[in-house]
Amino acid sequence: MAAAFLSRPVYPGLALVPQARRHIFALEGAGAGALTDLAPDAGALTRSDILYLPRDPDGAAQAVALAALGAASLWQAPDLAALLSRLAGLLDGARMGTRLYAAGSEGFIGQVLVVAEAAGIDPLSVATEHRGNRARRVQCVHCKTVAEEVTTQPCACPGCGLTLFVRDHYSRRLGAFQGVCIDAEEPGSAPAAEEAFR
Amino acid sequence: MTELALRVAAIDDAIPGIRRIRLVPRTGGLLPAFSAGAHLVLAMRDGPTLRRNPYSLCSDPEDRSGYEIAVRRAERSRGGSAFLHDRLAVGDLLSAGQPANLFQPDWRGRRHVMVAGGIGITPFMAMTATFDRLGLPFELHYACRSRATAAFADLLVARHGARVTLYPSDEGRRIDLAAVVGDQPLGTHLYTCGPDALMAAALQAARDAGWPDQALHAERFEAPPPGDPFTATLARSGIEVTVGRDQSLLEALEAAGVAAPCLCRGGACGECATRVIEARGTILHNDHFLSPGERAAGDRIMTCMSRFTGDRLVLDL
Amino acid sequence: MPPGSATAAVHRPETFLPGTFRDDFSYRNSPGNIPHFPFPFAEDSYRYSVNIEPHVPGRPGSAFEHLIDVDEHYLSEMADRARVLEEDPLRYQALPHMMLAQWDVLELLMEEQARAYPHLFTLTKDGDRWRWINRPMGIDDTFTFGDPATLPREPFDYIARQTQGDHAILDQRDGNLWMDAGMITAQADWSLDFDVGMSFHEWHAPVPLAHEMGVFDRALKFLLNLRLGQPVRRLNWTMTINPRLDTSPERYPHWGPDRMTVTPQNAGRKVHLRVELQSLWRLPRSNAILFPIRGYLMSLDQIVTVPKWGRRLPRVLESLPPELVEYKGLSRYRQTAIDWLKPYDDGQPTSPGIFPD
């Protein structure tokens, strides 16, 4: 794994804020395990809403495990856009004392934080835990297209087709790493792509 | 230069124990605009002593014709409040540094909730004016001894109506802090200024309701505490400075003509952190800046607030 | 001011040059403007330092004479900026909570420019009713301070299109600075669209070496206590092939290939020293910080017309640490530039400081 760099977000792991009036858990794929491992007490669960985006291969089993927690509500999202939209709806009109928790892939967490910030939540107050692969969301700095699930270095921009070097520079606002053309100075000199983010 | 040359234009003693002072530029013109929550470090020539104390600006930040401060007579004054109450007169000349701010609003706030106690109302005078001008939702909860002794109470109610709630203790009213923080929209920020106990209670109520630290703001201004006199040796300038009982180390340095760094003079900003070369004894840390680990290390002292007891203190000055 | 510098003329731009920063790259400094250039090296070898000093008016005729500097390239730079913004509106960003800071910036940039260059700019205030005249650009607008509806654009957008240099606005909260607004059209390879909203350490993340040295920790601590009325400045530098202002990462595929075109024959004309006079100003109403990044470009063949600079520049370029050469993107042409400059270094000692002898 690449060395830490200073714009890289830190995901310290989910820790319950016991005083919270309401807990909202936004979970993706293996991120479900972050909540089941946390095993909140029954009192906290009665104040908890869970939004879950299952991912193969363990999505169904994890959904069962989440349901077994007995939270106030559990909603399974058909896709990411639906989850983010539902989250925005929950946060609209929410009160101080509502605490948000996000667990899953890095790209998922990044997009949950974008929704949170838009709702008036300071991103630093959101508990996050990275579970799952290390694939990166990458914004092409040239055409601004965001590539999802990038696992190679360099990668191809799905928008403009340039070969991008994925920099160790991360934008919380965009929830994405920065991709910069790797062979701009000598077009055609890009090295072959190698698996880098798994 | 950047020092402001000011003249006392008006003094208002309508509230017992609290003196409102209006300062205008000596040569006319306009003063710099300032930010809500800012303070002014006022330099006061009191006989042989030059005092420099911070006071929150309580006028409207857009009123650049003058600045206002409100000073409560301290029960055990180190000299600043007694000077301003007893010896200051209209027409007197004072100077001050530029306004500085360690208590600014978080401009991202969707709503701003302020909890004030006593003379801690002062920074909220400017904040309410700014929030009102910018159309930002706010509410102010103001605890006081009585309506008659609460500075600015009438003005605040006249200006902001139901957004201001008074809690005079002689009427048996207390702020229900749990209720204040219990039903606020996401994105609300809490600001508190007043007696330590009130500030601690307000912050605790918010934490107990699940508020994150990023939404909590407290004005931690304090006067430097008095204490036993001590001597500091300055390694670079090669002089010894004796700090009197009612004097801070910073004030003693300034009196000795040493150009010591400082900004807030209240132990909050960290600007005056000075390297300790040798300390045979104990540094009495009174600031809010150094972490417990940094205090334990004992290699820095905040000259505006902290004191020393022991045989020998050598500073890198 | 040292004796002997009395020949330095007061900087009072009357006419503006028509140079371009793209296509035919017709940008050149007039001979009289060469001493105006803020040569960034105070000694013969490179040493990283924060080098922050008070931003006070400096030597007449230099870029430091006025705190917001206007020079003979004003109109051509504003034209280039307008074109960059037209092609890529994301070069201007202001997060919603920065509106009060925007007004602070508008006032500061209007006041400073009107004070320094009364023959170019006039600001008259009648309460909140302000009139701004920008003679070079033919602008005469009356508006209400504090009311965005009375200006054709957001206040920061409006004034940054009329001020040389890039500008960022840093919000202060939680013991940190956050780059929450900017108009960045002439940057040395960083993206405002990507960096907007970042904290001080986050947006400096790609800079090598300095983090380990604690440079940014110290700089942040210093800036958090930056005082109203006491701005500070520092110089930063890099090199650019062709006098191109817009060396953004967005446009890297357009300017990156330029780095392959440097030859011993054309280096003097093509290789430019790019200097940023960065200043930092506490803003009165918002308590935010304005961060102007005022860029200057000068080709090697113009730099060597000042003998001291011609001696010193090759010495500095030879002393750069490799990480820095890589980070500044100099790898492909540094040696060619040094070789081109060498004949101008006669081995004589140089005087301390940045100004010509």
Side-chain angles (χ1 to χ4, degrees), chain B residues 1-2 32-36 61-62 64 67 98-102 104-109 130 134 213-215 217 261-263 269-271 273 289 300, chain C residues 96-101 103-104 107 111 125 128 130 145-146 171-174 178 180 221-222 224-230 282-288:
Chain B
M1 253 317 277
T2 55
F34 66 92
S35 48
E62 287 300 324
R64 294 174 58 182
Y67 291 157
Q98 297 268 337
N101 200 335
L102 297 163
Q104 73 166 83
D106 189 319
W107 301 115
R108 298 171 306 166
T130 294
L134 297 178
D213 284 346
Q214 290 81 11
H217 313 272
C262 68
L263 178 58
C269 76
E271 184 74 3
F289 184 79
R300 284 196 293 169
Chain C
H97 62 275
M98 299 302 281
M99 186 51 80
L100 188 59
W103 287 108
D104 275 334
E107 178 181 51
E111 285 188 340
K125 298 181 181 178
D128 287 344
W130 292 18
F145 185 81
D171 192 24
Q172 182 157 335
R173 57 177 195 270
D174 284 333
W178 304 81
D180 285 347
K221 223 184 128 201
F222 177 82
L224 288 172
N225 285 342
L226 184 69
R227 290 142 149 106
L228 194 60
Q230 297 180 48
R282 176 68 66 194
L283 295 171
R285 298 170 183 79
S286 59
N287 206 41

Side-chain angles (χ1 to χ4, degrees), chain A residues 6 142 144 169 173 185, chain C residues 193 211 249-250 252 259 332:
Chain A
L6 289 159
H142 312 295
K144 310 293 181 182
H169 194 31
R173 190 183 68 89
E185 298 180 17
Chain C
D193 179 49
H211 291 281
E250 278 83 354
Y252 181 40
R259 288 175 171 171
R332 293 189 192 270

Side-chain angles (χ1 to χ4, degrees), chain C residues 218-238:
Chain C
R218 288 197 299 277
L220 173 61
K221 223 184 128 201
F222 177 82
L223 293 176
L224 288 172
N225 285 342
L226 184 69
R227 290 142 149 106
L228 194 60
Q230 297 180 48
V232 297
R233 68 172 170 242
R234 67 180 291 258
L235 292 174
N236 195 14
W237 70 277
T238 186

Side-chain angles (χ1 to χ4, degrees), chain A residues 116-185:
Chain A
E117 192 157 19
I121 295 179
D122 191 311
L124 297 174
S125 72
V126 180
T128 55
E129 183 160 334
H130 181 213
R131 293 253 179 149
N133 67 41
R134 301 197 166 274
R136 292 182 168 187
R137 285 186 94 219
V138 176
Q139 188 212 41
C140 171
V141 75
H142 312 295
C143 75
K144 310 293 181 182
T145 302
V146 174
E148 305 283 349
E149 302 281 328
V150 170
T151 59
T152 66
Q153 178 75 288
C155 68
C157 173
C160 63
L162 288 173
T163 306
L164 303 178
F165 177 75
V166 182
R167 291 180 84 191
D168 280 347
H169 194 31
Y170 183 85
S171 165
R172 196 175 5 82
R173 190 183 68 89
L174 300 169
F177 290 83
Q178 189 173 55
V180 183
C181 181
I182 196 167
D183 58 347
E185 298 180 17

Side-chain angles (χ1 to χ4, degrees), chain C residues 201-216:
Chain C
H201 285 88
E202 286 171 350
W203 85 71
H204 283 114
V207 183
L209 302 176
H211 291 281
E212 291 78 2
M213 293 159 63
V215 165
F216 293 117

